[in-house]
């Protein structure tokens, strides 16, 4: 139950922060910070005493929940879940720190929703029962919507409704696929089952499997996000409070990638392979489209939002390449994007608090008055466009080299996205901090300096020594082929020369 304890700690902290802030305004942020410290200590203690999670999937909890439908509260963890939970808790600290001076009203309720969203995200990464996964999937969306509606900017209602409709409509498709899978399991094996590992053993008819795979794929493609179901993202990012943008870019988008790995590829290996070229093409379009749209923006946050679509396109391309190097690159890119985009959104919030605008045309020459802030922005922009020495470079390099053996044309086209990211990245820096001095701002405060230095240090350390992450994964990712995969091994051909992402990823 120790993974569940992390969720409980976050939820108890959320309730206490809401309740105590009524009596003592300002205590909510301290309670949120303390809750994250306790959750992190619990998580580190669990990981240090259960190192087998880095060598395979580790079941942690399974208790009956809704017996009539054979639904269990089942949780587990492996190296993939571990690293995404660690990223979630780390960015949770950043969210609290960037909110420290920004949120001035209903602070208790604000931190309640922030911690509830984090608890839901942790639940998504540990659920092994598909109904439980869907439950946590919905839990994380509601507080995120509330954060945008109450503490967002001028068009927050429109952005929140759009975010909610997109995510709920796609979630409905996933729910239909989950229920259909459970009933098919009853048809084949005599009982309903929502268990991830039991459903993996099913040998679905090709057409039926493709429809169900698409139900999952669309839900996760919306969340990733991927072209053409990305349109909610720029509005949600732009209108959300700073912590909401950090949470969206740093963690929520990663739940889409996690879903593609854990459910689409693992549950439907045959259909994923048949759909691979379409998915990789969507990833390539996302890379180029996101880069082009980012270059056209004059809103700081909107530019970073479109850049996220481009970066997540690399992840989509890598995952459907079924190549181990590309898969490693995708994992590194998820971490790197979480850190760098979180940092850029945090800096957007810092500038907005000083200038009360995100419009780049109203900035310029800020480096003269805020050299530390300018240096940090330049470093994060360099990270985003993949400067060697920083983690983003390692991730995208592995993706391109790994995917080239499978989709050489798409990789060559996608490489143009790297050039685009350098162009819009430098435009962001030059427009805001270079050129004639339009305005003067106060440089980084101590709290802001800590936020920037901590994120930059991680990007630099992991970029120079990515082995620190790789060492927490097994040398190879053995494929546990279920029975449904046996007839298509020959069809996979050269792709099986490299191990497919398997059940213990």
């Amino acid at each position: 139950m120790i993974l569940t304890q992390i969720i409980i700690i976050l939820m108890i902290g959320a309730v206490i922060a809401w309740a105590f802030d009524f009596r003592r305004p300002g205590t909510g942020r301290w309670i949120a910070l303390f809750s994250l410290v306790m959750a992190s200590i619990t998580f580190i203690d669990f990981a240090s005493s259960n190192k087998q999670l880095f060598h395979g999937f580790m079941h942690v909890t399974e208790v009956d929940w809704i017996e009539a439908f054979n639904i269990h509260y089942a949780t587990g963890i492996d190296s993939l879940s571990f690293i995404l939970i660690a990223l979630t808790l780390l960015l949770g600290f950043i969210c609290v720190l960037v909110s420290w001076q920004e949120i001035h009203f209903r602070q208790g309720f604000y931190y309640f929703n922030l911690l509830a969203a984090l608890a839901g995200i942790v639940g998504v990464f540990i659920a092994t029962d598909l109904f439980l996964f869907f439950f946590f999937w919905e839990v994380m969306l509601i507080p995120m919507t509330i954060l945008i509606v109450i503490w967002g900017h001028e068009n927050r209602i429109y952005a929140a409704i759009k975010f909610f409709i997109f995510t709920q409509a796609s979630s409905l498709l996933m729910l239909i696929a989950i229920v259909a899978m459970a009933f098919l399991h009853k048809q084949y094996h005599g009982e309903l089952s929502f268990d991830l590992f039991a459903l993996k053993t099913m040998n679905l008819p090709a057409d039926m499997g493709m429809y169900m795979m698409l139900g999952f794929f669309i839900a996760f493609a919306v969340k990733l996000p991927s072209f053409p179901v990305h349109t909610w993202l720029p509005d949600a990012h732009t209108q959300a409070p700073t912590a909401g943008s950090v949470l969206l870019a740093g963690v929520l988008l990663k739940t889409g990638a996690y879903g593609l790995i854990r459910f689409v590829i693992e549950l439907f290996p045959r259909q994923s392979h048949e759909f691979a070229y379409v998915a990789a093409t969507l990833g390539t379009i996302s890379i180029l489209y996101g880069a082009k749209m980012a270059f056209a923006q004059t809103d700081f946050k909107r530019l970073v939002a479109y850049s996220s679509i481009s970066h997540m396109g690399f992840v989509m391309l890598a995952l459907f390449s079924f190549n181990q190097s590309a898969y490693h690159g995708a994992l590194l890119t998820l971490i790197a994007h979480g850190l760098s985009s979180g940092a850029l959104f945090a800096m957007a919030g810092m500038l907005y608090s000083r200038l009360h605008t995100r419009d780049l045309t109203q900035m310029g020459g800020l480096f003269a008055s805020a050299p530390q802030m300018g240096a940090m922005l330049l470093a994060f922009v360099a990270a985003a466009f993949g400067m060697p020495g920083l983690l983003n470079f390692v991730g995208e390099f592995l993706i391109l080299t790994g995917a080239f053996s499978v989709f050489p044309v798409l990789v060559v086209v996608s490489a143009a996205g790297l050039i685009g990211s350098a162009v819009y990245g430098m435009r962001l820096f030059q427009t805001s901090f270079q050129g004639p001095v339009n305005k003067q701002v106060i440089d980084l405060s101590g709290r802001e300096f800590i936020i920037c230095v901590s994120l930059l240090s991680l990007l630099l350390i992991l970029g120079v020594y990515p082995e620190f992450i790789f060492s927490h994964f097994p040398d190879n990712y053995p494929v546990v082929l279920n029975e449904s995969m046996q007839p298509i091994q020959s069809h996979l051909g050269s792709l099986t020369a490299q191990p497919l992402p398997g059940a213990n990823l």
Side-chain angles (χ1 to χ4, degrees):
M1 292 292 288
I2 196 161
L3 291 177
T4 306
Q5 289 177 16
I6 297 172
I7 298 174
I8 293 173
I9 289 171
L10 293 173
M11 286 308 302
I12 290 176
V15 173
I16 294 176
W18 189 6
F20 272 68
D21 206 78
F22 272 118
R23 298 182 180 181
R24 287 177 172 267
T27 56
R29 56 194 182 186
W30 287 105
I31 294 171
L33 202 58
F34 180 74
S35 302
L36 282 166
V37 170
M38 295 304 296
S40 300
I41 291 173
T42 304
F43 184 58
I44 293 170
D45 179 62
F46 168 77
S48 61
S49 21
N50 294 278
K51 293 184 179 177
Q52 62 267 36
L53 71 89
F54 299 112
H55 304 285
F57 200 94
M58 177 182 170
H59 296 274
V60 179
T61 305
E62 182 168 350
V63 295
D64 291 339
W65 182 16
I66 306 175
E67 293 187 28
F69 296 103
N70 198 26
I71 294 173
H72 297 84
Y73 182 88
T75 64
I77 188 171
D78 62 357
S79 49
L80 174 63
S81 298
F82 167 81
I83 205 159
L84 291 176
I85 293 173
L87 180 65
T88 300
L89 295 175
L90 171 66
L91 291 180
F93 284 103
I94 300 299
C95 288
V96 173
L97 292 176
V98 298
S99 306
W100 208 263
Q101 299 290 342
E102 180 179 325
I103 304 302
H104 301 291
F105 68 100
R106 303 182 71 177
Q107 291 184 357
F109 190 48
Y110 173 85
Y111 288 106
F112 169 84
N113 284 285
L114 186 60
L115 291 177
L118 292 172
I121 293 167
V122 172
V124 163
F125 291 141
I126 64 173
T128 60
D129 183 288
L130 266 63
F131 187 85
L132 180 65
F133 171 81
F134 183 79
F135 171 79
F136 282 124
W137 186 265
E138 294 296 302
V139 166
M140 72 176 178
L141 295 181
I142 295 173
M144 192 66 238
T145 305
I146 294 173
L147 286 174
I148 299 173
V149 167
I150 298 181
W151 293 276
H153 296 289
E154 59 277 3
N155 293 321
R156 59 186 181 276
I157 303 296
Y158 168 77
I161 291 174
K162 193 173 182 179
F163 168 71
F164 191 78
I165 290 175
F166 264 78
T167 51
Q168 284 302 299
S170 59
S171 297
L172 179 61
L173 291 176
M174 181 171 63
L175 179 61
I176 292 171
I178 290 173
V179 172
M181 291 281 289
F183 274 93
L184 281 174
H185 188 276
K186 182 178 182 180
Q187 183 178 340
Y188 293 154
H189 301 287
E191 65 173 0
L192 287 171
S193 178
F194 293 86
D195 181 70
L196 172 64
F197 300 97
L199 295 177
K200 279 183 183 179
T201 63
M202 292 175 60
N203 191 3
L204 295 172
D207 293 343
M208 184 73 72
M210 181 60 77
Y211 289 132
M212 293 186 187
M213 188 278 289
L214 287 176
F216 284 94
F217 177 84
I218 293 172
F220 299 133
V222 168
K223 188 59 66 67
L224 191 59
S226 174
F227 178 89
V229 288
H230 64 282
T231 59
W232 62 271
L233 182 77
D235 293 312
H237 270 311
T238 306
Q239 300 303 322
T242 303
S245 298
V246 173
L247 202 58
L248 274 170
V251 184
L252 254 72
L253 306 190
K254 310 306 176 287
T255 61
Y258 176 81
L260 290 174
I261 298 169
R262 182 74 79 206
F263 298 99
V264 173
I265 293 175
E266 290 191 15
L267 274 177
F268 309 99
R270 180 203 306 263
Q271 292 78 13
S272 297
H273 175 255
E274 294 172 353
F275 193 68
Y277 190 79
V278 177
T281 302
L282 290 175
T284 302
I285 295 173
S286 297
I287 292 168
L288 300 179
Y289 172 82
K292 186 266 178 187
M293 292 301 294
F295 179 75
Q297 304 306 310
T298 57
D299 185 301
F300 192 125
K301 292 177 76 174
R302 207 169 179 85
L303 187 154
V304 181
Y306 274 109
S307 74
S308 295
I309 297 172
S310 183
H311 290 298
M312 290 300 102
F314 281 103
V315 174
M316 176 79 87
L317 175 63
L319 294 182
F320 284 87
S321 297
F322 298 102
N323 177 280
Q324 186 161 316
S325 295
Y327 177 76
H328 282 174
L331 291 182
L332 291 183
T333 299
L334 290 179
I335 302 167
H337 179 263
L339 299 174
S340 60
S341 66
L344 287 172
F345 278 117
M347 298 213 70
M350 295 170 194
L351 284 173
Y352 186 82
S353 67
R354 291 161 168 80
L355 301 170
H356 304 292
T357 181
R358 301 182 303 271
D359 190 345
L360 293 172
T361 62
Q362 297 185 32
M363 302 180 191
L366 299 179
F367 200 93
S369 55
Q372 290 182 358
M373 185 180 288
M376 288 295 176
L377 179 62
L378 181 60
F380 292 129
V381 164
F385 66 64
M387 174 173 281
L390 297 169
L391 186 59
N392 306 60
F393 168 77
V394 185
E396 292 176 354
F397 176 78
L398 287 176
I399 288 174
L400 293 178
T401 53
F404 185 81
S405 60
V406 185
F407 300 117
V409 176
L410 293 180
V411 168
V412 170
V413 175
S414 299
L418 297 177
I419 302 171
S421 65
V423 173
Y424 67 69
M426 291 313 300
R427 177 176 174 272
L428 170 64
F429 174 73
Q430 290 181 339
T431 308
S432 55
F433 277 82
Q434 296 286 286
V437 178
N438 287 335
K439 294 182 179 179
Q440 292 189 335
V441 295
I442 301 172
D443 211 346
L444 293 175
S445 66
R447 175 179 52 83
E448 294 167 338
F449 188 77
I450 291 172
I451 293 171
C452 294
V453 168
S454 59
L455 292 172
L456 182 60
S457 299
L458 285 172
L459 285 169
L460 183 59
I461 293 170
L462 296 177
V464 174
Y465 188 60
E467 188 62 26
F468 178 77
I469 300 176
F470 290 142
S471 64
H472 288 83
F473 290 85
D475 294 334
N476 291 305
Y477 295 95
V479 178
V480 181
L481 293 176
N482 58 44
E483 294 179 356
S484 66
M485 284 286 289
Q486 300 303 327
I488 65 168
Q489 288 188 61
S490 57
H491 179 61
L492 291 175
S494 60
L495 294 179
T496 53
Q498 295 289 338
L500 289 171
N504 72 333
L505 296 181

